[in-house]
Amino acid sequence: MPSAASLHRGDHPVFLLLPPMSPPLDSTRFEQIRASGDLPSPKGIALAVIRLTRQQDVSTAELARVIGADPAFVGRLIKAANGLVAFSRRPVASVHEALMVLGLPAVRTMVLGFSLLSHYRRGACQAFDYNRFWSASLARALAAQVFAERTRAAPADELFSVGLLGSVGELALATLYPADYASVLDAASQPRAAPLLELEQAQFAMDHRELTGAMLEDWGLPRIFIDAVAQAHDPEATHLAEGSRARRMLQVLVAARCVAEICVSGDDTARNALAAALFTEGARLGIERECIAADCERIAALWTEWGSMLQLEQPGAPSFADLAAAGPVAAIAAKAPAASQARKRNPVQLPATPLPADGAAGEPAARAQRALIVDDEPRTRAGLRAVLEQAHYEVHEAGDGRVGMELALELQPQIMILDWNLPELDGPDLVRSLRQTRIGQAIYMILLTHSDDDEHLVAAFEAGADDFIAKPLRPRVLAARLRAGQRVVRLQQEVEREHEEIRHFASQLAVTNRRLHEAALTDALTGFPNRRYAIDRIQQEWSAAQRWGRPMSCMIIDLDNFKQINDTYGHDVGDEVLRSAADALRGALRGQDVVCRTGGDEFLAICPETDLVHALRCAERLRCALDSLSLQAGDARVAISASIGVAMREHWMPDVDALMKQADLGAYLAKQKGRNRVATVQKTGESAGGVAAAD
């Protein structure tokens, strides 16, 4: 039975369903992960922009100045302003205009998304399809924006942000634990595999949903969006009020996820099944089938345009009009189980597909080293290519600095040879820009110069170059310089491998520590949380109820005659009684309730968002579940029952101890009245069956 973490938003309670004993990623654990330096995060200019946009008094001119230091992002930002939201405006031609058109929230998310895409386009996790991940994220972002425009569920640009980053925890796990996560994805793709979230919990003691929430909170996204992302994985379990703004925003994200999965899936059967879910979600949003199809055609066009701009390899965009015309939803819904099961295992990647055998996302040493030539003279590029190919490099070329910047971030070459004087962006500025990125820091850069005077060489090294070669080129000298560069690159790779081993050891240690922490909070006999967890949890629920003025109740469940059972039949039978009682309680509790074993024969049930009347009814259901149990002990039958005390938080109670004291008095009253009953010492207008209230 899942437990439930209660969150609050406005007047609407939200219950985020979690696996047993799987609370949101605690701040200490997240700080440890972030301190490792391996968590996907914005770099360089992107980090500066995000920090600036969090300031209330930041000026557009200051933002434009910082953004202008990254030529690659300048180009993407202007293209985004022209291609995404500025259809009816004159073309945007400057950073300042783009900022005015898009606004700070959209710019912050775009710079974050572009930075992550640039730095984490590839990685070491063999089973994680990075290109597919970003394609799906982009489609989800565009779909969330278009549906938000139609439904007014939330600002469109903000839902674009949420859609783009809504599965970043998957990328984080692939980055933090590449080998282990590859094993998890391989296991998830097998027939009859457990859900991906369960496999992640078993391997890492956390899942990508928890990590996504922690990262979004760290980046400053509003809590309402973080909650919606978490619930989008299991929308049927939400307790959001039907018709509320929060519920409509959740429905938008669920529909956007369906669109993204349709876009990245190459299987027609899976697309048909996913289309059934999409049109169902559209109906819940009040959007007619034809309108959904028209919106999705627009989304597909934007997805193709953005994919080209971001250099993503995308499958052909599907025809949503054909999917809508395929027949009634019921006719294709029968095909849904297979696709639904695939989404259960891997909600974005359908299925998790290993990368090509050439090692495009594996270790650099697994394939020929890459070299990038940036020079505007074709003859110079041809001469450099001949020398590099003789040294068995995989060679790529660019004719100006801006293209060279984009190729360097995309290809991640080991060695880069660039001319001092380049169109668009000269060599020293290109070196400086790359050195501000994580990818650029690992590239061995050689500047070509027409002069070898001291001032020129000092300027080259201060810009961040590793070496220089004076023109005209001498092939033997160039080959010698390349061999020296190769030695440096190999040393860097050895250091990275050692670093990876250390990271792997640290990750395993962190997982072990988390499992030990969870074990310390779990009762080994029943599998319920123990007293230590119970005290922390009831204090959290007390604080939330106090803050938001919401009702809260608790129950003390005391098994009847347990000491006599132990003394008569032995501790083995006593343990079996406890296990059977725990199973019965699990089956009878509601989704949002939490039950813990706090003593030998005593349990505590925490009931958020529950008044006294409803708590008494729930307690009676628990009593009946226990009363129906019995165990065979030799020739005798052992009956099981419990006395249950119920209490609700009232304004006169100073703290949570007073609430538990009232519940304890209720359990004592139940035993006084003959056991096997529910009682409370507080006033209530209802009394039924085995329920007793104080006079």
Side-chain angles (χ1 to χ4, degrees), residues 574-625:
D575 289 349
E576 189 59 37
V577 166
L578 288 171
R579 280 191 288 265
S580 299
D583 291 340
L585 292 174
R586 281 193 188 92
L589 278 172
R590 303 170 304 168
Q592 70 263 36
D593 297 332
V594 180
V595 62
C596 310
R597 184 186 177 198
T598 54
D601 59 348
E602 186 177 285
F603 299 85
L604 170 69
I606 306 167
C607 308
E609 300 290 330
T610 306
D611 60 24
L612 185 60
V613 170
H614 289 88
L616 286 168
R617 291 176 183 170
C618 181
E620 177 62 15
R621 187 169 63 252
L622 299 183
R623 186 198 67 79
C624 291

Side-chain angles (χ1 to χ4, degrees), residues 527-603:
F528 279 155
N530 61 16
R531 181 177 182 83
R532 179 181 169 190
Y533 177 90
I535 297 303
D536 289 344
R537 183 60 179 270
I538 197 171
Q539 186 62 58
Q540 293 171 11
E541 297 297 347
W542 173 276
S543 299
Q546 196 172 42
R547 183 184 310 113
W548 298 100
R550 310 298 294 180
M552 171 196 172
S553 298
C554 75
M555 310 174 197
I556 298 293
I557 305 166
D558 199 344
L559 298 184
D560 294 329
N561 303 314
F562 183 72
K563 184 177 185 303
Q564 182 181 343
I565 292 172
N566 260 340
D567 293 343
T568 304
Y569 302 105
H571 290 284
D572 289 345
V573 174
D575 289 349
E576 189 59 37
V577 166
L578 288 171
R579 280 191 288 265
S580 299
D583 291 340
L585 292 174
R586 281 193 188 92
L589 278 172
R590 303 170 304 168
Q592 70 263 36
D593 297 332
V594 180
V595 62
C596 310
R597 184 186 177 198
T598 54
D601 59 348
E602 186 177 285
F603 299 85

Side-chain angles (χ1 to χ4, degrees), residues 106-310:
V107 169
R108 178 174 62 244
T109 304
M110 284 180 186
V111 72
L112 175 58
F114 289 152
S115 175
L116 294 179
L117 195 153
S118 294
H119 291 88
Y120 301 94
R121 185 185 294 270
R122 290 185 175 86
C125 184
Q126 294 284 356
F128 187 77
D129 192 330
Y130 293 82
N131 184 83
R132 190 186 185 102
F133 169 82
W134 285 115
S135 292
S137 298
L138 177 59
R140 189 170 58 244
L142 293 167
Q145 183 183 53
V146 170
F147 292 154
E149 288 172 355
R150 179 176 288 277
T151 62
R152 307 295 181 188
D157 287 336
E158 294 188 33
L159 274 191
F160 176 91
S161 310
V162 175
L164 185 65
L165 301 172
S167 290
V168 72
E170 295 177 43
L171 177 68
L173 287 176
T175 304
L176 290 165
Y177 317 114
D180 293 335
Y181 199 48
S183 299
V184 168
L185 293 177
D186 286 339
S189 67
Q190 301 302 313
R192 296 184 296 278
L196 179 62
L197 292 173
E198 290 184 14
L199 294 173
E200 290 172 346
Q201 280 286 348
Q203 180 66 36
F204 309 113
M206 64 178 169
D207 56 52
H208 70 259
R209 178 190 57 191
E210 297 171 356
L211 194 49
T212 294
M215 293 173 72
L216 295 183
E217 185 172 12
D218 186 54
W219 290 333
L221 267 71
R223 187 75 229 177
I224 187 171
F225 294 137
I226 299 172
D227 295 344
V229 167
Q231 294 181 83
H233 288 273
D234 189 8
E236 299 303 323
T238 183
H239 287 219
L240 290 173
E242 191 69 44
S244 66
R245 177 173 173 267
R247 180 65 171 263
R248 289 177 67 77
M249 185 170 65
L250 173 61
Q251 291 168 338
V252 163
L253 291 179
V254 173
R257 180 179 291 273
C258 291
V259 173
E261 291 176 359
I262 291 171
C263 286
V264 299
S265 175
D267 185 299
D268 289 339
T269 301
R271 279 180 170 173
N272 285 338
L274 290 165
L278 170 62
F279 294 127
T280 300
E281 292 301 327
R284 290 174 178 170
L285 285 167
I287 308 175
E288 295 180 357
R289 191 183 186 87
E290 293 75 14
C291 294
I292 280 280
D295 284 345
C296 289
E297 290 293 339
R298 177 188 169 200
I299 292 164
L302 288 170
W303 181 61
T304 301
E305 180 183 340
W306 270 69
S308 176
M309 180 182 73
L310 298 174

